[in-house]
Amino acid sequence: MARSATVAVPEDASTATGAGRRTQRRSEQLAGMAFVAPAVIVIVGLGIFPAAWATLLALQKWNGFSEPRFVGADNFERMSRDTDLVAAAWHTLLYTGLFMPVSVVGGLLLAAALNRRIRFMGLYRTAIFVPYVASAAVTGLLANFVFNPEVGVVNNVFRVLGLPQQGWLEDPSQAMVVLVIMSLWGQLGFVTVIYLAALQDVDTACLEAAEVDGASASQRFRHITVPQVAPATAFVVIWQTIQCIQLFDLVYTTTRGGPIGATTTLVYYLWEQAFRQLSFGYGSAIAWVLFVVTMVMTLVLVAIQRRRGGEQPA
Amino acid sequence: MIATTTENDSAEHPAVPTAEADRPAQSEARRRRLPFSPWHLLLAPIAVLFAFPFVQMIMVSFMPSRDINRLPPRFIPTTVTLDGYRGLLERSDVLIWLTNTVIVSTVAVGSNVVLCSLAGYGFARLRFRGRNVSFLAILGTIMIPIQLLMIPTYVMFARLHLLNSLAALIVPWLATAFGVFLMRQFFLSVPRELEEAGLLDGASRLRILWHIVLPLARPSLMTLAVFTLVGSWNDLIWPVIAISDSNLFTLQIGLANFQGVRRTEWSLLMAGNVVAVLPLLVGFLVAQKHFLATMSSTGLKG
């Protein structure tokens, strides 16, 4: 891009005389601005500016072609009456409620299990971490295959075990469960890596003292390890909650919101409103509420973590 | 105790060192009724479960369709066939998708490495007006989710006549807030003394960055490259919004749409899946420690 040309400015560095020092400071000014300008233009131009515009759009009615019309709080009022939106919120909540506990508890237990030196450990870790690179499109196709009612391995295992065949992604009451399972497949490795790093900082002297005092392995884990990795837990909970609220990709590559709307999540609904119905104003209003809800939840979780951390003896 | 075990294991996994399990040798011996650690009984099945979808994906991509559509379907193909890959080449634009994806990801990685290094160094070392404000603005964008940005960004790109172009896919990936933050954190950790000799010799900041500081930054640059590669390669929502011309599809949208058209041609679809994930899969297996570093440094954002 043309911008990179501006970077070559700071070629004149001077000697350390009095006047030279001033030019040096001047040149540092110029160099600093030139160094950060390209990245700042891209990131702020595509981050702050559209966010401000979205605020304006949320107060307008606009289909992208005609003149936008200022409607005040109409979009927000419409949201309160929109039963499809409420349904989408429930679907998102269901997904979050199923995903979060397994993700956090499973990730911690998996990290604890992987935190030892036995044979094949490298292999185990690789197998659990590698789904990290699978995109939603890849994961979605795998979900469609593995949970396919006819050729899928899950139903075939069920048949061997004498269990009834299931519809999975084609069944409104099961589709969300399949999405949760596939998300866990992709993301448990990430949580595990975070916890594995945190487990390295757990005080071994404390664990050994507790063992000498006769604490069982599960007591040591619950009363020493779990409290000591609390900062990691806070991060994982916040990070994964945000991911849950924003679920879109996997829905797009598997069910497209179906069957009969059972997997229409908030962001999927928002996308439909904006880019299928061309309700740019209404879509922006939904996006704003989602953003605010996410921020508030993050702040609450951070506050809880701070208070908990404060109560503990250092 | 921790020091020795970490040392031993770091050859394999430097990014995530291991501490020996929290129990002394006697109780270990007491439990040794099995000829191997009981942890294998837990970990082996879990590892198999996680690896299974990828293994089956590769199997099916080489399978004749009669192996898939029989009851029960076969796991290992009776004969290895390239029909899936041949069909994929003939009946989809996979080469176009692959080319587009490679172009976007290559430019994204190159641009991120250059622009984020420059900005990270500027924010860490140089004093200039507006430094704090612009750095805070960049940090602030990390909190703003894509769904708030996508509608105005779409309109913006439409007005600039950038929709349905590779530029639309590339521009958002030219620099990332995460990258700037990551590089700044690294440059802050470099001792200033290293640069002072160069400054006294009258070398420009750009030369100091290039010759003295950047060679030290290789691990951070690798983390940034991995983050950008995975992110731009796997991006879905923005390409879905910005691209409708099938000649500009990336692998991700190409595959997602193709799936709807060829619902039951599994070997074809899985061949497409292999193409979409193989570069990252191989990258992961080769550069595992950098991938793990990327995964854990995502935590820097929080």
Side-chain angles (χ1 to χ4, degrees), chain A residues 149-167:
Chain A
E150 283 87 38
V151 301
V153 67
V154 182
N155 260 2
N156 278 295
V157 169
F158 270 43
R159 187 176 29 238
V160 172
L161 297 175
L163 295 166
Q165 299 290 287
Q166 307 293 329

Side-chain angles (χ1 to χ4, degrees), chain A residues 28 124-125 135 144 159 200, chain B residues 17-18 40 71 252 259:
Chain A
E28 189 174 312
Y124 295 153
R125 286 181 171 188
S135 68
N144 281 332
R159 187 176 29 238
Q200 308 317 309
Chain B
T18 308
H40 288 295
L71 248 172
Q252 308 303 326
Q259 210 188 132

Side-chain angles (χ1 to χ4, degrees), chain A residues 131-186:
Chain A
Y132 169 74
V133 301
S135 68
V138 169
T139 311
L141 181 55
L142 292 176
N144 281 332
F145 186 67
V146 170
F147 286 96
N148 184 283
E150 283 87 38
V151 301
V153 67
V154 182
N155 260 2
N156 278 295
V157 169
F158 270 43
R159 187 176 29 238
V160 172
L161 297 175
L163 295 166
Q165 299 290 287
Q166 307 293 329
W168 301 119
L169 285 168
E170 292 163 21
D171 183 332
S173 64
Q174 292 169 351
M176 200 57 108
V177 177
V178 175
L179 294 190
V180 169
I181 292 172
M182 291 314 286
S183 302
L184 285 169
W185 175 72

Side-chain angles (χ1 to χ4, degrees), chain A residues 1 3 7-8 10-11 13-14 24-25 28-29 31-33 35-36 38-40 42-51 53-54 57 62 110 113-138 140-142 144-146 148 150-151 153 156 159 184-185 188-190 193-194 196-197 200 202 204 207-208 211 220 235 239 245-246 248-249 252-253 256 267 270-271 274-275 279-280 283-284 287-288 290-291 295 298, chain B residues 1-2 5 8-9 12-13 16-24 27 37 39-40 42-44 46-47 49-54 56-57 60 68-69 71-73 115 118-119 121-123 125-129 134 137-138 141 143-145 147-157 159 171-172 174-177 180 199 202-206 209 234 236-237 240-241 252-253 255-257 259 266 269-270 273 276-277 280-281 284-285 288 291-292 294-296 298-299 301-302:
Chain A
M1 297 225 77
R3 284 184 201 114
V7 166
E11 282 300 325
S14 316
Q24 198 175 0
R25 211 170 288 155
E28 189 174 312
Q29 282 270 350
M33 288 179 188
F35 272 42
V36 304
V40 170
V42 172
I43 296 165
V44 173
L46 291 172
I48 304 286
F49 172 64
W53 194 354
L57 279 175
W62 191 34
L110 213 48
L114 289 171
N115 190 30
R116 63 198 69 247
R117 285 189 313 132
I118 53 174
R119 206 140 37 121
F120 306 128
M121 190 47 87
L123 216 57
Y124 295 153
R125 286 181 171 188
T126 303
I128 290 162
F129 297 156
V130 82
Y132 169 74
V133 301
S135 68
V138 169
L141 181 55
L142 292 176
N144 281 332
F145 186 67
V146 170
N148 184 283
E150 283 87 38
V151 301
V153 67
N156 278 295
R159 187 176 29 238
L184 285 169
W185 175 72
L188 214 50
F190 166 73
V193 167
I194 301 284
L196 257 179
Q200 308 317 309
V202 171
T204 34
L207 286 169
E208 278 160 20
E211 181 162 26
R220 273 175 283 147
F235 167 72
W239 183 259
I245 294 176
Q246 297 184 0
F248 169 86
D249 290 14
Y252 182 86
T253 58
R256 302 259 167 135
V267 174
L270 158 58
W271 173 78
F275 296 102
S279 306
F280 285 176
S284 298
W288 245 105
L290 257 180
F291 171 55
M295 282 299 277
T298 307
Chain B
M1 177 184 176
I2 245 195
T5 51
N8 285 338
D9 204 59
E12 259 184 52
H13 289 283
V16 187
T18 308
E20 175 69 350
D22 39 86
R23 94 180 74 79
S27 63
S37 161
W39 287 101
H40 288 295
L42 175 75
L43 289 171
I46 293 177
L49 217 56
F50 272 83
F52 180 82
F54 277 148
Q56 200 179 27
M57 169 185 86
V60 171
I68 308 161
N69 293 319
L71 248 172
L115 297 189
L118 285 171
Y121 185 78
F123 283 125
R125 276 291 186 273
L126 304 175
R127 261 172 301 162
F128 55 91
R129 219 176 302 146
S134 45
I138 286 182
T141 63
M143 307 295 288
I144 301 173
Q147 64 264 20
L148 188 64
L149 305 174
M150 63 190 185
I151 298 170
T153 308
Y154 172 83
V155 178
M156 224 161 83
F157 276 68
R159 298 236 167 119
V171 169
L174 285 177
T176 53
V180 173
L199 277 177
S204 73
R205 285 289 182 174
L206 203 57
L209 173 62
N234 286 346
L236 185 79
I237 190 165
V240 161
I241 291 168
Q252 308 303 326
I253 5 174
L255 208 63
N257 286 350
Q259 210 188 132
W266 291 111
L269 290 169
M270 286 302 167
N273 234 15
V277 79
L280 299 187
L281 206 63
F284 187 95
L285 296 177
Q288 194 164 4
F291 274 81
L292 295 180
T294 310
M295 288 164 87
S296 43
T298 314
K301 281 171 145 189

Side-chain angles (χ1 to χ4, degrees), chain A residues 77 106 139 191:
Chain A
E77 204 239 340
T139 311
V191 180

